[in-house]
Amino acid sequence: MTRQEIAETLELFSKVAESLGALSPQLMPAMEVAGALLLIGADLEGKGLDSIQHITRAISLDDPMNQAQDDVNKEADKKFGDKN
Amino acid sequence: MRVLRAVGGIFLLAALGCSSSSSRQVQAKAANAIAVAANQAASLLVDQYRKELGKCLAFDTRLEFAMCVGKVNNDWARVRADWADLADLQNQWATALEKGSSEVEVYAQAVLKAYCDIAPDLPPGIALPAVAGVVCGAP
């Protein structure tokens, strides 16, 4: 698949996606990464590793898990009050 | 642009399915696939972790709640540590790709191993997504 073909296909599907409405905010980071990786895949197929320009970075679990704990702690505060 | 990037993920899997004669490229593709799977799994794992924590709210006292949260965090501690290792290796792999380093394959293999190392440490009933071309435990 050439870059031109990828661009044309993505353009087509962007219109489809827009017609379906906004995607889940939780999915967006992962899907953005996937989109960037698509370009890597294209480069791997076409020109080899030397031409790769778009690289993903890993998503951390710490921040969202800490946020989850904070959220649950707030719920606990509501339920149990300040009593220990 | 966000939407454009989002739909790109749909086609990545097809791109990864293509054959390659280069071992280096195969390793990099597998690492790509793991990066996608891991980043998708991240949301699933966080959701599951949140659910487990949420169950602790069913207890009647704060002490019981705190003990429950402690157990949940203990259950997930290894996974979080494994994930930190995976994330670190993914970033090193990505840096190697960006720089055109000869260590790309080494990091790609390390990413493969790190991804497989997570599975045994997951709490019961939770699994990471299968990754095409990746068989954990293979020689």
Side-chain angles (χ1 to χ4, degrees):
Chain A
M1 179 175 266
T2 66
R3 281 184 174 277
Q4 178 63 29
E5 289 170 335
I6 290 171
E8 290 173 358
T9 308
L10 290 181
E11 180 63 26
L12 171 65
F13 272 76
S14 71
K15 293 177 180 176
V16 174
E18 285 171 357
S19 70
L20 295 175
L23 296 173
S24 165
Q26 287 186 320
L27 286 177
M28 289 309 298
M31 298 308 283
E32 284 190 11
V33 167
L37 284 170
L38 170 67
L39 299 179
I40 296 175
D43 282 339
L44 287 172
E45 285 302 317
K47 301 176 183 176
L49 296 174
D50 292 343
S51 64
I52 292 175
Q53 298 296 324
H54 303 281
I55 307 297
T56 187
R57 297 289 172 177
I59 292 177
S60 170
L61 279 186
D62 285 340
D63 289 345
M65 282 192 165
N66 290 338
Q67 183 62 54
Q69 175 132 19
D70 288 345
D71 293 343
V72 171
N73 285 339
K74 287 177 183 175
E75 290 297 314
D77 289 341
K78 291 178 184 175
K79 177 173 181 176
F80 301 118
D82 294 331
K83 293 181 292 185
N84 291 322
Chain B
M1 185 59 191
R2 291 175 66 87
V3 173
L4 191 65
R5 287 181 180 177
V7 295
I10 298 170
F11 294 95
L12 175 65
L13 297 178
L16 291 171
C18 299
S19 63
S20 170
S21 59
S22 166
S23 172
R24 189 181 178 204
Q25 289 190 6
V26 170
Q27 291 288 349
K29 285 183 181 180
N32 277 348
I34 285 176
V36 173
N39 285 328
Q40 290 173 337
S43 295
L44 300 175
L45 290 180
V46 170
D47 286 346
Q48 190 63 39
Y49 173 72
R50 184 182 289 273
K51 286 179 183 174
E52 294 297 317
L53 286 178
K55 292 177 183 176
C56 296
L57 290 167
F59 286 99
D60 294 328
T61 68
R62 181 178 284 278
L63 177 59
E64 291 172 312
F65 167 78
M67 291 176 65
C68 176
V69 168
K71 182 181 183 308
V72 171
N73 281 331
N74 187 59
D75 289 344
W76 284 83
R78 292 281 300 271
V79 175
R80 294 180 74 157
D82 291 343
W83 197 274
D85 290 343
L86 174 65
D88 182 54
L89 288 166
Q90 279 187 9
N91 286 334
Q92 292 187 68
W93 162 76
T95 299
L97 279 173
E98 288 172 341
K99 293 182 177 178
S101 167
S102 60
E103 296 178 320
V104 168
E105 185 176 0
V106 172
Y107 284 122
Q109 290 175 332
V111 168
L112 291 170
K113 182 180 184 303
Y115 187 78
C116 289
D117 284 347
I118 293 174
D121 294 332
L122 287 168
I126 301 173
L128 293 176
V131 180
V134 175
V135 180
C136 293

